[in-house]
């Protein structure tokens, strides 16, 4: 049942949680500076000795930013909310909140099979909940904006991203040497979507 309220409060809460999660990503990097200074490392060595942690931070910053942009843009097309919508949003937030944890593991364990699977699986969870948000809104006309409903291409785009992430997860687990490089499959999203539109009935 739709709750006839502007979803701005839900969006503001979500944005605040994302801001906290994305800030937490940098804290492990901040923590390495004092011990490095006590051990006599130079400023340059602090950076060169912690390249995996820096890589994990930059990768996760880009991932969370992208996930948030898609989520934020989608809510432009929502005018009310329901319990299923709130539950999907909470699930999406759970994935965002968890992400700093595997990010820290990336810095410590690098290309470990479990770490790569945990990291990619967390991103996949966020994308699946995003797909859930879109399905809920499309299934209930009381939730979608009457003047600016969700565009028809947004759901296929989310489903394509989920499918590519699932493939990336399988490849990362099956061929550990590929680990995070499998995320490059996401660059195929646009060509796959164009191919789907070209051959759909």
């Amino acid at each position: 049942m739709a709750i006839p309220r502007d979803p701005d409060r839900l969006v503001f809460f979500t944005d605040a949680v994302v801001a906290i999660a994305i800030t937490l990503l940098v804290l492990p990097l901040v923590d390495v500076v004092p011990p490095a200074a006590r051990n006599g490392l130079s400023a340059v060595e602090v950076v060169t000795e912690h390249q995996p942690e820096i890589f994990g931070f930059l990768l996760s910053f880009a991932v969370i930013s992208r996930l948030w942009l898609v989520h934020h843009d989608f809510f432009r097309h929502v005018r009310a909310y329901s319990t299923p919508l709130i539950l999907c949003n909470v699930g999406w937030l759970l994935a965002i909140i968890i992400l700093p944890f595997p990010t820290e593991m990336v810095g410590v364990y690098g290309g470990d099979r479990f770490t790569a699977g945990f990291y990619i699986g967390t991103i996949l969870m966020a994308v699946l909940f995003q797909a859930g948000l879109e399905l809920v809104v499309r299934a209930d006309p009381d939730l979608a904006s009457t003047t600016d409903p969700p565009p028809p291409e947004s759901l296929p785009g989310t489903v394509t991203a989920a499918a590519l992430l699932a493939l990336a997860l399988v490849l990362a687990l099956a061929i550990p040497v590929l680990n995070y490089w499998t995320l490059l499959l996401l660059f195929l999203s646009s060509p796959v979507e164009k191919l789907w539109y070209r051959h759909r009935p």
Side-chain angles (χ1 to χ4, degrees):
M1 182 176 179
I3 301 171
R5 292 181 183 171
D6 192 305
D8 279 352
R9 288 184 64 186
L10 184 62
V11 173
F12 292 153
F13 172 75
T14 301
D15 288 352
V17 173
V18 172
I20 293 170
I22 210 167
T23 301
L24 290 176
L25 293 175
V26 78
L27 294 184
L29 293 179
V30 174
D31 290 340
V32 304
V33 176
R38 286 195 296 269
N39 292 331
L41 295 180
S42 67
V44 172
E45 288 173 325
V46 171
V47 175
T48 57
E49 293 292 322
H50 295 91
Q51 290 181 10
E53 292 92 334
I54 295 171
F55 167 76
F57 163 72
L58 292 175
L59 178 61
S60 295
F61 185 90
V63 167
I64 291 181
S65 296
R66 176 60 182 166
L67 291 172
W68 174 78
L69 285 170
V70 172
H71 181 278
H72 192 75
D73 183 68
F74 174 72
F75 266 85
R76 294 191 300 107
H77 310 291
V78 178
R79 65 184 172 94
Y81 55 90
S82 64
T83 299
L85 183 72
I86 293 173
L87 291 176
C88 283
N89 196 69
V90 168
W92 185 87
L93 281 175
L94 176 63
I96 298 299
I97 293 169
I98 290 173
L99 197 56
F101 179 39
T103 297
E104 176 67 5
M105 293 178 67
V106 169
V108 175
Y109 298 103
D112 174 76
R113 186 200 303 248
F114 174 81
T115 303
F118 184 20
Y119 185 87
I120 297 172
T122 303
I123 300 171
L124 175 59
M125 185 172 103
V127 173
L128 288 174
F129 275 113
Q130 179 67 40
L133 285 168
E134 300 202 21
L135 289 171
V136 167
V137 171
R138 292 174 188 276
D140 188 345
D142 291 334
L143 301 180
S145 169
T146 54
T147 57
D148 188 16
E153 66 273 10
S154 64
L155 183 58
T158 303
V159 172
T160 299
L164 290 173
L165 277 168
L167 177 59
L169 176 60
V170 170
L171 289 175
L173 293 175
I175 312 174
V177 69
L178 294 179
N179 53 62
Y180 310 104
W181 293 106
T182 61
L183 290 171
L184 293 175
L185 286 170
L186 290 174
F187 285 106
L188 295 176
S189 290
S190 182
V192 170
E193 288 175 50
K194 291 178 181 177
L195 189 65
W196 184 83
Y197 279 116
R198 188 178 304 163
H199 291 90
R200 70 176 180 175

